[in-house]
Amino acid sequence: MTAPRSDDHEGHIQSDDLREMRNVRGGRPGDRYVKVVEPFATEFRRRAPGHLVASEAVLEPTGGVGRLADLLRRALIGRRIASEKELGERIGPFKGLAIFASDNISSSAYATEEIMRVVVVAGAGALAATLPLTMAIVVVLLIVVTSYQQTIRAYPSGGGSYLVASDNLGIGPGLTAAAALLTDYVLTVAVSVAAGVAALTSIFPFLFEQRVLVGVAFIALLWIGNLRGLRESANLFAIPTYIYLVAIFGLLGYGLFLAATGSLPTYHAPPGWADAAPLEGLGIVLILRAFAAGSVALTGTEAVSNGVQAFRAPEARNAGIVLILMGSLFATIFLGISFLASQLGVVPDPSERQTVISQITGTLVGAGTPFHYLIQLSTAFLLILAANTAFAGFPRLASILGKDRFLPRQFQYRGDRLAYSVGIMVLAVLAAVLLIGFKGSVTALIPLYTVGVFIAFTLSQTGMVRHWWTRRNEVRGWRWRAVLNGAGAVATGVVAIIVGIVKFAFGAWMVLLLIPLLIGLMWAIGKHYRSVERALAVDWTSPALPRRIAPRVVVPVSRLDRATLNALAFAASIATDVTAIHVSDEPDDVARMKADWERWGGPVNLVILESPYRALIAPMLAYLDATDRADPAQPTTVVLPEFVPNHIWEYPLHNQTALRLKLRLFFRRNTVVVDVPYHLS
Amino acid sequence: MTAPRSDDHEGHIQSDDLREMRNVRGGRPGDRYVKVVEPFATEFRRRAPGHLVASEAVLEPTGGVGRLADLLRRALIGRRIASEKELGERIGPFKGLAIFASDNISSSAYATEEIMRVVVVAGAGALAATLPLTMAIVVVLLIVVTSYQQTIRAYPSGGGSYLVASDNLGIGPGLTAAAALLTDYVLTVAVSVAAGVAALTSIFPFLFEQRVLVGVAFIALLWIGNLRGLRESANLFAIPTYIYLVAIFGLLGYGLFLAATGSLPTYHAPPGWADAAPLEGLGIVLILRAFAAGSVALTGTEAVSNGVQAFRAPEARNAGIVLILMGSLFATIFLGISFLASQLGVVPDPSERQTVISQITGTLVGAGTPFHYLIQLSTAFLLILAANTAFAGFPRLASILGKDRFLPRQFQYRGDRLAYSVGIMVLAVLAAVLLIGFKGSVTALIPLYTVGVFIAFTLSQTGMVRHWWTRRNEVRGWRWRAVLNGAGAVATGVVAIIVGIVKFAFGAWMVLLLIPLLIGLMWAIGKHYRSVERALAVDWTSPALPRRIAPRVVVPVSRLDRATLNALAFAASIATDVTAIHVSDEPDDVARMKADWERWGGPVNLVILESPYRALIAPMLAYLDATDRADPAQPTTVVLPEFVPNHIWEYPLHNQTALRLKLRLFFRRNTVVVDVPYHLS
């Protein structure tokens, strides 16, 4: 096979070679591709000369352990899906509501309660402020929903805050929105799971002690569920969403009927809950704090516009329907629960063991009745599904950021089922850490939440105003569109400022610290990738390969054995300047090595480096540096003899020094490392 | 530099080359060594042609972090010591007693107490059995000490049980002794540290809650202290040992004086300690259990004979002196404490908060007096020093086993201060795990202890009997020597059986399970190393290098950039058969790659592997396998373009796929992997 070689091969390849190779690449009949392709029948299809398509067979595991792992993987996350099958994975409004609106709707499970937890500081009497505050928040919600309808129309391929902000306002605001959203997604998972567990512990009090563990288990389930892919996740959860809607509207209808007929039962707060003297009056600060706490109700509103591309065509229309449905359903539930809580005079449980909804249900239909269980279980399921929304959003946003080179490329990689595996893993781990850190308490987590959401809202809506302005000559009615989005931007901006200020000391500072750090990190990553891109860009004018000076080849040898000879043979086959180096930490060893080398008498010269301080790597590197100084232009090639044992468990018994040497050499300039493994036959 | 090459280089190297290289190896004046050696002045001394000695300069760290780490290392463990300075590190009897006898002598801190904890089950009255049991154990001790005197004379270069057993009885008994000793060393550290902490908590009760943490901190200190090396460890601890001896003999003398004059103070056991009704009578089983518990007193007796080579010349004489001193001192203290405990009627504290010695001291001189503190503090220090004995023994034994290829070679490696770093680390970690697992309780750990010791004793003494028998024609008085060792073997064998049976259910089963597992592991490691040794052995008759067929060279490329061109250039410089392979997981990427390649027009042909399931590694490997099938004899060389960023933190942003590919290729037959790093300039 080996063609005659001449000295010229060390530098530019000759024109004869070039012509021959080009012909080959052209794919002439009878060229060497034909020979190469033949045996591939099972693993590859040939699409064009030099262009093969791998079949699923190349992924078949070999060996018992591999097959077992594959079986387990299939059982957990299902069969692999080919990239080209992706289009079939899209969803309609019915499932879309389950997967994208659940985040927002599920906020009704705790929004009322979080308002009450703030106003109750001013005494049980101040709880009357809950309903007016709810109404104020619903007004903001309606503005935001109207505003986002425009975003969906303007960005039918998916208009997340990052995209809209960077598209219209530039990369700074874009990264700010992205950082705010990433933080928010993590908090969505932590808060929703914590609230879901709280809904469960309201009916199963024995779970209360284990609430962190139960929460982490739910996150693990979401992880696996999402590796299965988008449509399946929706199937997994669609039914509980609709059960929740039916159950909660049943409860509200029944409650309103009782209220209208003046036959509401009497609620008795357990002793101690409402007896405490008011800590302060119901001033403006407390009202703003309660408003900020309740504005958690708006989280999840942006989910639909982020995920337009997940909908079936017509994407924008389907997404718009879901957004309107979501807004109306949520507003109704939120108002209804706040109304019933006020009418009954419910007091929030200071120990977080009973949710407000659980208390309302217990009062209206009786604690421990089947309907009470139904409300609590479907609430819990809905909240888990809300966390699932973040599992759809975070990985998608991270993959976009990865594609734009603001996050590591790995976030772009899609796993066996087309899910962004890395993003899903990162989200699950961060949310679990947060849940553990805050001991699973919703009220402790809430102050961190919402700041990020409203920053992203504001930037996105401001971006939309700019969007209409730049298109003022193309789009009819751009004025009222800009006004609508402007109203959204102002409303969410004001809320963002309120939330940032009143929640600052309670935990929002962490998020307000984290967001700039994340922006800085993404900016640094982007800068790095771009500078590398520039540095690696090819000079297209010259097809010649860079000229290489023949290297100085060094073979570290620990002793003279077949693995060593194998490496020496490889070294001799690629160069004439080959030196074997033996680092020795004891005199006996020096003598033995010298004797062995003399006895062998082979055609390679040996340098022995005695190391009185017993280090093995440092003398080798010092030697290479010293020879470099003698001739700095000549590159170094280090050929490493490595012994590969038959079983993986035997590996730690060998090659430890080679491994450390390899790591050090990797960072050494002008040095090529060649691994010559020697397998036992 | 590059000499003209011919086709023949691919196989046997020609005789011309051979002659030239031999001349070079011969070190003729003017040959290339001279040139190579010149610039080494600071880093290397030249000992002979091709034989350099590294100076400490090669270990100088570069860069700020490296220098800081080096500074910290020096502060913790001191300056490096060159191998040739080793002889100066040996010790005399005075320090030898501190370092080797402390393990045994320190047993006096808990041996009496452990006997009492067993007999007290039969009621406070049964505590009278403590003194007779102590006498029985002292008799066994005297037999063992006498027996070991012989071992030291017969094995002046160090006669550990492993050495003696494998030397005389074969590899099976040798490995059994080794496994028993390794287990025992770990337990010595755990038990001694736990007992040391108990001595401290007797006077500082607030430490009791943190006793596991305090114990782990002591183990960490021992770790660092032992990395400093042998003599320094002795300096660090010698003074407390002698303080302990003075203090404890003071206490015993004072106590015996009071007893002789009939003026012993009255001891009052705190309420509840002695009131409990006897659980069973003082039958033979309980007596044997108490004997087994007390036989912990013999642990550490073998330390001296293991470490003969650590003594100054005459090694055997110095070691013998230490052994006799140790036996006499220990027997006296042990008997004295048991005598005083019986005379006073001390009852052991069921909660382990007060040691028996602390109670005796408190009763005789008053609790909380300076002398009480002195006794407790010096006891604690002595016990930590006892743990230090294991830190001398375990790494040395592990290094011998590493040299004999029954443990990984890494155990042979000696760190900056000539200490066996790996063995020290393994011992510290295992002991800490044990201490945490048993919550720092001496009484919980004791049943695991002693089984291993007595197995090793028995094997070693039996080996000595065999030793004298095989030398019966050379050694005068071999009969009485064999009888002395035989008595030792019988005595320790009987104790081993008693301990194994009566402590089995209390935890000895763990050790009796672990020892065979360890034996199996060491045997498997030894077998593996020997089979590798055979397989790698060189055929000395032929100095020719193995003939290599020119490889098929494959360059995986993710895109066309300078790093790729660099790798392609290297590939082209070592072979003519070069193919670039691009695995693609999306159609856009395929088109872009093809276009780039056409645009470049360079002299290497490209194969595109489309991967519809998005895997990047598997299609590459399947392709290599398929080409292998076409020509199984031709080896494969994979040339990996790798981009090396300027900063280490940038590394995770690159090369992840290359890293995974490298790992998989390492285990592939007939495949050489070449790393061609591309550094940004």
Side-chain angles (χ1 to χ4, degrees), chain A residues 399-527:
Chain A
S399 85
I400 294 171
L401 289 166
K403 202 172 178 185
D404 292 354
R405 296 279 180 270
F406 291 114
L407 281 182
R409 278 189 279 244
Q410 289 92 314
F411 284 100
Q412 275 179 273
Y413 176 76
R414 289 181 301 166
D416 287 341
R417 304 275 294 180
L418 289 166
Y420 294 104
S421 328
V422 177
I424 290 172
M425 179 187 71
V426 170
L427 175 64
V429 169
L430 291 178
V433 167
L434 209 58
L435 197 71
I436 294 166
F438 284 82
K439 303 200 174 92
S441 158
V442 180
T443 304
L445 283 164
I446 284 282
L448 279 71
Y449 206 25
T450 50
V451 196
V453 187
F454 280 95
I455 292 174
F457 278 164
T458 311
L459 289 168
S460 157
Q461 300 316 302
T462 309
M464 285 307 297
V465 174
R466 179 82 197 270
H467 176 88
W468 301 125
W469 171 253
T470 53
R471 280 160 191 74
R472 61 190 180 278
N473 297 326
E474 312 150 29
V475 179
R476 277 202 305 159
W478 67 271
R479 269 177 226 275
W480 66 265
R481 288 178 195 273
V483 167
L484 277 184
N485 283 127
V490 170
T492 52
V494 169
V495 179
I497 292 168
I498 293 176
V499 169
I501 292 172
V502 302
K503 288 184 167 182
F504 189 83
F506 297 90
W509 64 269
M510 284 185 242
V511 175
L512 290 172
L513 194 73
L514 186 67
I515 288 175
L517 287 178
L518 256 178
I519 296 171
L521 181 68
M522 290 193 286
W523 186 83
I525 290 175
K527 193 182 159 206

Side-chain angles (χ1 to χ4, degrees), chain B residues 42 48-49 111 114 140 184 195 227 242 264 268 281 366 372 436 565 573 597:
Chain B
T42 54
E114 293 303 324
V140 179
D184 178 50
L227 287 181
Y242 288 101
L264 272 179
H268 296 287
H372 186 195
I436 294 166
L565 290 184
S573 79
W597 209 263

Side-chain angles (χ1 to χ4, degrees), chain A residues 187-241:
Chain A
L187 281 159
T188 300
V189 174
V191 169
S192 301
V193 167
V197 175
L200 283 183
T201 58
S202 296
I203 43 170
F204 304 119
F206 63 91
L207 282 177
F208 188 79
E209 293 303 318
Q210 304 300 325
R211 61 180 175 163
V212 173
L213 195 70
V214 176
V216 171
F218 276 125
I219 291 175
L221 276 179
L222 286 168
W223 186 343
I224 293 167
N226 277 278
L227 287 181
R228 293 188 75 94
L230 188 60
R231 197 166 55 176
E232 292 233 341
S233 312
N235 277 338
L236 212 64
F237 287 111
I239 299 159
T241 309

